């Protein structure tokens, strides 16, 4: 992966939004994640799509809406406390 970036499926798994990378990859391939980077919005369409620090992601899992900013990549899939340090929650505007 390029310096200063990590795969979207790996980051979602490490941040504990999904139990497996396979589940994260399937979710991404369905086009269910919006990405905002430098003011430009797009969809995360491939599991290997690189995420960078300060990227904003919006997605829904089981009816719950998540809006988060990537603040770290992490080296592993650690405990929940470590996973929460990988992102900051964002306010969702109506």
């Amino acid at each position: 992966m390029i310096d200063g970036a990590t795969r979207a499926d790996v980051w979602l798994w490490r941040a504990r939004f999904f139990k497996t990378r396979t589940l994260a990859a399937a979710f991404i391939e369905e086009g269910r994640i919006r990405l905002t980077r430098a003011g430009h919005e797009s969809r995360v369409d491939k599991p290997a799509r690189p995420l960078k620090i300060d990227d904003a992601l919006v997605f829904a899992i089981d009816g719950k809406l998540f809006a988060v900013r990537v603040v770290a990549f992490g080296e592993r899939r650690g405990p929940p406390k470590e996973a929460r340090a990988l992102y900051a929650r964002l306010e969702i505007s109506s």
Side-chain angles (χ1 to χ4, degrees), residues 39-81:
H40 299 287
E41 190 175 299
S42 63
R43 293 231 180 255
V44 178
D45 52 354
K46 296 178 184 172
R49 174 101 181 251
L51 295 181
K52 298 180 179 182
I53 300 296
D54 287 333
D55 282 352
L57 305 174
V58 177
F59 54 95
I61 301 172
D62 294 331
K64 185 173 180 182
L65 190 62
F66 294 93
V68 298
R69 179 168 312 283
V70 177
V71 297
F73 298 135
E75 294 292 319
R76 65 186 183 129
R77 186 175 198 264
K81 183 177 180 180

Side-chain angles (χ1 to χ4, degrees), residues 8-22 24 76-77 83 86:
D9 62 337
V10 171
W11 187 85
L12 288 166
W13 173 68
R14 286 180 180 164
R16 292 188 160 266
F17 288 107
F18 295 93
K19 288 185 178 189
T20 67
R21 276 183 63 189
T22 303
R76 65 186 183 129
R77 186 175 198 264
L86 302 182

